[in-house]
């Protein structure tokens, strides 16, 4: 599962391989704001399975702290990338 922060909206989609991809608005270098987390959980609950949703719940402390796996710049936009495994 990928969580990408820096998008203009918060959304939950599935990638071409079926992997969940969560797009978060905001600046990942400061952690994820509480309202963005609430929006993410609402969007995720409509798309993800119960197991996937639990993985997101376990990752919330990491998102709050802004502990990302990587950062990339795409077309001038800085994106913060979190990759969640089943163990997260």
């Amino acid at each position: 599962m990928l969580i990408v922060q820096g998008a203009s909206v918060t959304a939950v989609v599935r990638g071409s391989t079926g992997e969940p991809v969560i797009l978060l608005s905001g600046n990942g270098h400061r952690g994820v704001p509480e309202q963005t987390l609430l929006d993410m959980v609402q969007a995720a609950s409509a798309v993800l399975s119960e197991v996937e949703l639990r993985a997101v719940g376990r990752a919330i402390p990491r998102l709050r702290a802004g502990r990302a796996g990587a950062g990339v710049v795409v077309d001038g936009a800085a994106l913060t990338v979190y990759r969640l495994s089943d163990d997260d």
Side-chain angles (χ1 to χ4, degrees):
M1 179 181 310
L2 288 179
I3 299 179
V4 181
Q5 189 174 13
S8 59
V9 297
T10 295
V12 180
V13 297
R14 295 223 178 248
S16 60
T17 62
E19 179 181 35
V21 178
I22 299 173
L23 305 174
L24 294 175
S25 60
N27 182 337
H29 299 293
R30 295 187 201 116
V32 181
E34 202 64 33
Q35 185 59 51
T36 301
L37 288 171
L38 292 172
D39 293 345
M40 176 193 71
V41 170
Q42 285 183 331
S45 66
V47 176
L48 302 182
S49 71
E50 187 176 325
V51 171
E52 292 166 334
L53 198 52
R54 280 196 302 265
V56 169
R58 289 190 304 271
I60 286 178
R62 188 169 134 198
L63 296 170
R64 278 191 181 115
R67 292 187 314 237
V72 296
V73 177
V74 178
D75 293 333
L79 304 176
T80 304
V81 180
Y82 303 83
R83 180 176 284 280
L84 304 183
S85 67
D86 292 338
D87 300 330
D88 282 330

